Amino acid sequence: MSDKHGSHIIPRSQGGSNGADNILWEVGVDNLRRGAEVMTVGEQFYIRVYNAVDSIVSNSGTIARLGIAATGTAILTQVVVTAISYSLDLYRGDITVEEYKNLVLEAAKAAGIATPIVFLILVAVLALFPEFTVVLSRNALGGSAPA
């Protein structure tokens, strides 16, 4: 975390708050480079994915002690990124919740990851993108994804 800044999505100079929903932890150099510009959706996505992968890599020692080797860490990272990609498809309405679940499970099976770890991957994706929780809940209850 020493190289990270609490970056404002909407800068304070443009009316943004210090609330948790307006701040992402970002590499300091990138935050300083953006300056007082509003963070784009693409930048927010990149930061969230970067932080997820960085967290897995940074915690690879702990992951290794849990029985997952460096290769396993790389595979886990790949499955997390794949799950995020499918989450975006779900959010856009390109796939259904059922298709989403099947795709994530297939990716995990192909990588040799056990079902309990898939659950942790989904929790990680939902922690990164809380808005997907709403989409999953809405679709599970028979509603539709946002347009």
Side-chain angles (χ1 to χ4, degrees):
M1 289 292 287
S2 64
D3 66 333
K4 302 276 176 92
H5 287 185
S7 300
H8 289 86
I9 295 169
I10 300 172
R12 297 225 15 195
S13 63
Q14 295 192 34
S17 74
N18 283 332
D21 61 339
N22 192 45
I23 295 178
L24 290 176
W25 288 103
E26 176 182 32
V27 174
V29 173
D30 295 336
N31 180 38
L32 295 173
R33 186 176 310 128
R34 183 179 324 94
E37 294 179 27
V38 173
M39 194 182 293
T40 67
V41 172
E43 288 171 322
Q44 292 173 54
F45 175 73
Y46 172 81
I47 291 166
R48 289 173 173 171
V49 171
Y50 177 89
N51 287 344
V53 172
D54 185 48
S55 176
I56 291 169
V57 171
S58 297
N59 293 303
S60 60
T62 302
I63 292 169
R65 284 191 294 280
L66 294 173
I68 302 174
T71 303
T73 302
I75 291 169
L76 184 59
T77 302
Q78 179 183 354
V79 173
V80 169
V81 172
T82 300
I84 291 169
S85 173
Y86 291 142
S87 297
L88 291 172
D89 291 341
L90 174 66
Y91 186 74
R92 285 191 305 263
D94 296 341
I95 60 175
T96 66
V97 170
E98 196 59 37
E99 289 171 320
Y100 172 77
K101 290 175 188 175
N102 290 335
L103 287 167
V104 171
L105 283 173
E106 286 173 25
K109 281 185 205 174
I113 295 176
T115 304
I117 295 175
V118 172
F119 173 73
L120 293 175
I121 290 168
L122 291 176
V123 169
V125 169
L126 294 175
L128 285 168
F129 301 98
E131 55 271 21
F132 291 148
T133 305
V134 174
V135 174
L136 285 170
S137 298
R138 183 178 301 136
N139 284 313
L141 296 173
S144 60

